[in-house]
Amino acid sequence: MNRTTSNNAIVLSLKTLGENNFSVTILTREQGVISGTLYGGPKSKLRSLVSQWNAGVIYLYENQEKNQIKISDFDVKKFHDSFSENLFKSFASSLAAEIVIKTRCGGSNQQVFDLVSGFFDGMELSDEAQSRVGLIRFLWRYLEILGVQPDSSSCSFCGKSFLSEFAPDSNSYYNVGANSFICRECYNKDEIVYPISTLGAVYLTGLTNLQPAEARKLKIDKETYQQIKQIVFYLIEKNIETKLNTLETGRGIL
């Protein structure tokens, strides 16, 4: 039985298929990551609409007998033009797409779609500095969706709260072996750790507990940003259990 369906979608990638066709990887709110075929040459109106990072309502024709999905139309609502104009935004969006594709949304299609959509829309409206902070917010929240986000609210060894029992400028650490945050007093020099200020741990807790609009109001300095970036980049690659090509090729840019 053949059928036509419509989905809220974001185009994640396109690969050439023959001379004039493309295999398109799409993130949909209803079905997660799916692939469809786009027929037509570069002069095709539909080809100009089905471009990487475009978002809107996509119409798919499914031939169940041949196990094929054809893209029949795309009503684009958002173009995200700045991604092709800024190198960081280009790599950040590619990193998000690679993570989503490799994890298949972690089984949480709607959550991931809303997270990616918010991240892309936010970057489109932001400058590069704001987008860099937006990327670490995205990665930290994605870790929560995957169920591997460590608790950053208190020291996992002594139980003291970073929110109320330590000075904001005190030192703390992310403990690799325990996948948790620890205070300076509980730090063991023989353990593998990433340093992070207590302010950084509090910031991450805010990202977890606050609504996105409120979380965007939180501020961090450059040093804390670098500390958090190192931790979330490590965590996302470790928990996906594969090298992320975008991190490798984008080293020095992301």
Side-chain angles (χ1 to χ4, degrees):
M1 180 180 178
N2 300 332
R3 61 173 184 163
T4 298
T5 59
S6 61
N7 294 269
N8 294 304
I10 302 170
V11 178
L12 297 182
S13 69
L14 297 93
K15 294 182 179 179
T16 55
L17 191 66
E19 291 186 9
N20 293 317
N21 306 324
F22 294 86
S23 174
V24 186
T25 302
I26 310 156
L27 172 62
T28 71
R29 193 171 193 273
E30 294 79 6
Q31 297 174 268
V33 178
I34 61 175
S35 295
T37 302
L38 174 63
Y39 293 96
K43 294 183 180 180
S44 162
K45 177 184 176 181
L46 188 56
R47 171 67 186 91
S48 65
L49 294 175
V50 184
S51 297
Q52 193 175 34
W53 316 133
N54 284 0
V57 179
I58 201 161
Y59 295 84
L60 305 172
Y61 176 78
E62 183 177 359
N63 187 325
Q64 295 181 337
E65 293 180 357
K66 296 182 178 180
N67 194 28
Q68 292 179 341
I69 296 176
K70 172 188 174 183
I71 299 172
S72 56
D73 202 358
F74 193 21
D75 181 11
V76 181
K77 306 294 186 183
K78 300 169 184 175
F79 290 90
H80 301 121
D81 292 330
S82 70
F83 293 11
S84 61
E85 300 167 357
N86 180 278
L87 194 57
F88 171 80
K89 290 184 180 183
S90 176
F91 272 90
S93 52
S94 294
L95 177 60
E98 184 179 4
I99 290 168
V100 168
I101 292 169
K102 287 186 173 178
T103 61
R104 310 299 295 184
C105 296
S108 302
N109 297 340
Q110 294 185 9
Q111 275 186 284
V112 168
F113 181 88
D114 291 344
L115 180 62
V116 173
S117 181
F119 175 45
F120 283 8
D121 292 350
M123 277 208 299
E124 182 65 23
L125 298 172
S126 302
D127 59 24
E128 182 175 316
Q130 294 168 327
S131 297
R132 287 183 179 277
V133 179
L135 176 60
I136 64 173
R137 288 199 302 264
F138 168 81
L139 294 175
W140 184 250
R141 290 174 178 142
Y142 205 92
L143 290 167
E144 183 179 18
I145 290 174
L146 294 177
V148 294
Q149 184 192 90
D151 181 7
S152 59
S153 65
S154 60
C155 174
S156 64
F157 286 4
C158 70
K160 290 182 180 179
S161 171
F162 292 124
L163 298 170
S164 59
E165 299 183 73
F166 295 98
D169 58 352
S170 62
N171 295 325
S172 54
Y173 303 90
Y174 167 72
N175 186 310
V176 171
N179 187 34
S180 65
F181 289 82
I182 58 174
C183 68
R184 182 175 58 185
E185 287 76 14
C186 295
Y187 167 58
N188 183 333
K189 66 179 182 179
D190 294 327
E191 295 172 326
I192 300 174
V193 299
Y194 287 99
I196 181 172
S197 67
T198 297
L199 177 63
V202 171
Y203 176 80
L204 290 175
T205 302
L207 297 187
T208 302
N209 295 332
L210 297 175
Q211 292 297 316
E214 292 300 314
R216 285 194 292 271
K217 297 177 183 178
L218 299 175
K219 304 297 182 182
I220 50 174
D221 57 34
K222 290 183 179 180
E223 182 179 0
T224 303
Y225 162 78
Q226 290 295 338
Q227 291 172 336
I228 292 175
K229 184 181 82 166
Q230 188 177 31
I231 292 169
V232 294
F233 278 20
Y234 164 78
L235 281 171
I236 200 73
E237 196 162 52
K238 172 180 178 289
N239 286 288
I240 292 178
E241 298 182 342
T242 183
K243 285 290 183 183
L244 291 167
N245 296 328
T246 313
L247 284 183
E248 292 297 313
T249 58
R251 195 178 302 278
I253 299 171
L254 289 169

